[in-house]
């Protein structure tokens, strides 16, 4: 039976470190780190995510400076809001909550972020830094997965990893981070042929396809470490991932639960990026280099 990789426990341990870093530096700096979460429209899942992020900020001592704009807001007004946050000295991190309402293109708005305040690591410059293995804020979900794997002592160097999904938000940065850790990585997507044969080669399998309960026993090599990034509300109530957990758990060496695996780590990495940005702006040591480079 697989070991469960507990994201809640690790997130709580990292939050304790963040609170200590903030408490150590705040007296000298005279202000806490600030995170602005910009939400546009009324996507219900986003409402839950934003509330979770704001609560997490409160737990560690980050000031939340969010704004909620109506769905009909024009791209130019959102850009103006981002530019005001870029210029605001109380703001160290900015997150544009995705998805945006239909008709709004996220790409130019993400480009309007000050890369130094890009708390989600999605600005083109920061994705380029990841590609070149240069320091910078990292995409929160894959960075959270890397932290979970490190905490569980999963050896990556020389191992065969498969990432299912190639989005800019999850799949692509995940593959780059695994490669940077010296895994041999294959990326699968919706046009991949014979997915089960490919995923059965994986010693480390990360699933971010956004398809509820898509991967079962036939996709998993016995003894693999399985990371389930997917999160879906089930019609009958409760949440599930992209993996059929009752089929995969008896086979795998380790698995992330849904909920309680990758989700809490995504929120925590947002806080990490914000605290690191706050420290960098003031030339202070952050001590979080094991989590982001
Ligand atoms: P996305 O943008 O929809 O991307 C999904 C990717 O999966 C695409 O690359 C797609 O391929 C691929 N795919 C779809 N169906 C497939 C299939 N049958 N076989 C193989 N590949 C397939 O989704 P995302 O933003 O990356 O998110 C993925 C999942 O993670 C979602 O469930 C999302 O809710 C969840 N998520 C969770 C967290 C968290 O904190 N836990 C954070 C972010 C996202 P193509 O490129 O060919 O279309």
């Amino acid at each position: 039976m697989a070991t469960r990789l507990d994201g809640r426990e690790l997130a709580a341990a990292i939050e304790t470190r963040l609170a200590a870093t903030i408490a150590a530096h705040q007296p000298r700096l005279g202000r806490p780190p600030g995170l602005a979460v910009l939400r546009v429209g009324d996507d219900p899942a986003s409402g839950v995510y934003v509330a979770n992020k704001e609560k997490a900020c409160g737990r560690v001592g980050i000031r939340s400076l969010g704004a909620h704009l109506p769905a009909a807001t024009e791209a130019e007004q959102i850009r103006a809001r981002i530019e005001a946050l870029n210029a605001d000295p109380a703001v160290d991190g900015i997150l544009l909550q995705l998805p945006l309402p239909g008709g709004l293109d996220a790409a130019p708005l993400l480009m309007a972020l000050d890369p130094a305040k890009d708390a989600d690591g999605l600005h083109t410059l920061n994705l380029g830094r990841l590609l070149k293995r240069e320091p910078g804020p990292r995409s929160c979900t894959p960075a959270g997965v890397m932290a979970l794997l490190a905490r569980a002592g999963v050896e990556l160097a020389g191992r065969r990893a498969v990432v299912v999904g190639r989005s800019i938000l999850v799949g692509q940065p995940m593959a780059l981070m695994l490669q940077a850790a010296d895994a041999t990585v294959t990326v699968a997507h919706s046009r991949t042929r014979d997915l089960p044969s490919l995923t059965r080669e994986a010693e480390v399998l990360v699933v971010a396809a956004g398809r509820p309960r898509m991967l079962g026993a036939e996709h998993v090599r016995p003894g693999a470490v399985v990371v389930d990034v997917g999160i879906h509300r089930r019609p009958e109530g409760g949440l599930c991932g992209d993996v059929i957990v009752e089929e995969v758990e008896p086979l795998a060496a380790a698995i992330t639960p849904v909920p309680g695996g990758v989700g809490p780590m995504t929120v925590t990495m947002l806080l990490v990026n914000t605290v690191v940005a706050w420290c960098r702006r003031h030339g202070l040591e952050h001590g979080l280099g094991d989590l982001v480079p």
Side-chain angles (χ1 to χ4, degrees):
M1 203 63 161
T3 306
R4 289 196 161 212
L5 304 180
D6 188 337
R8 288 195 184 116
E9 186 194 58
L10 179 54
I14 295 172
E15 281 187 8
T16 303
R17 289 173 62 190
L18 294 175
T21 304
I22 293 169
H25 293 322
Q26 190 172 327
R28 207 173 345 152
L29 301 184
R31 67 165 186 95
L35 173 65
V37 179
L38 202 51
R39 180 180 172 212
V40 186
D42 294 305
D43 177 69
S46 291
V48 176
Y49 296 148
V50 170
N52 284 343
K53 288 166 186 171
E54 287 174 350
K55 271 188 237 156
C57 283
R59 287 196 296 272
V60 301
I62 293 176
R63 188 173 164 212
S64 241
L65 299 138
H68 186 182
L69 306 177
T73 311
E74 307 253 329
E76 265 322 299
Q77 289 169 281
I78 303 170
R79 174 187 286 274
R81 189 60 83 102
I82 291 172
E83 281 165 3
L85 294 169
N86 284 345
D88 186 339
V91 173
D92 302 283
I94 307 169
L95 168 81
L96 180 63
Q97 182 68 40
L98 302 177
L100 295 175
L104 282 172
D105 184 3
L109 294 171
L110 290 170
M111 283 298 285
L113 294 170
D114 175 349
K117 294 189 176 187
D118 172 25
D120 222 2
L122 293 179
H123 188 286
T124 302
L125 179 68
N126 290 323
L127 290 168
R129 286 173 168 154
L130 167 63
L131 184 68
K132 295 186 79 177
R133 303 188 190 179
E134 292 172 1
R138 293 295 194 247
S139 315
C140 296
T141 301
V145 171
M146 294 303 286
L148 267 173
L149 294 174
R151 168 72 153 227
V154 175
E155 178 65 43
L156 292 169
R159 294 186 86 190
R160 187 74 205 266
V162 174
V163 178
V164 183
R166 58 175 168 182
S167 72
I168 293 295
L169 188 64
V170 186
Q172 299 279 9
M174 185 77 255
L176 289 169
M177 287 181 204
L178 289 165
Q179 253 188 77
D182 294 325
T184 302
V185 185
T186 307
V187 178
H189 47 76
S190 65
R191 304 290 294 273
T192 297
R193 289 191 196 144
D194 193 6
L195 186 68
S197 315
L198 181 71
T199 54
R200 272 201 309 272
E201 287 176 18
E203 297 170 278
V204 177
L205 176 60
V206 181
V207 191
R211 299 266 179 273
R213 292 167 59 81
M214 186 190 103
L215 267 89
E218 59 161 348
H219 293 87
V220 176
R221 166 188 180 135
V225 173
V226 179
V227 176
D228 189 355
V229 179
I231 182 148
H232 313 277
R233 208 157 281 287
R234 302 183 76 170
E236 63 271 34
L239 299 173
C240 71
D242 288 358
V243 170
I244 305 171
V245 64
E246 66 277 16
E247 285 189 15
V248 171
E249 202 167 20
L251 279 176
I255 190 166
T256 59
V258 179
V262 176
M265 291 304 300
T266 298
V267 177
T268 299
M269 293 311 299
L270 182 69
L271 309 183
V272 169
N273 279 335
T274 304
V275 172
V276 168
W278 178 67
C279 290
R280 279 214 177 109
R281 272 176 80 187
H282 298 96
L284 296 173
E285 184 47 51
H286 54 73
L288 299 162
D290 56 317
L291 298 167
V292 286

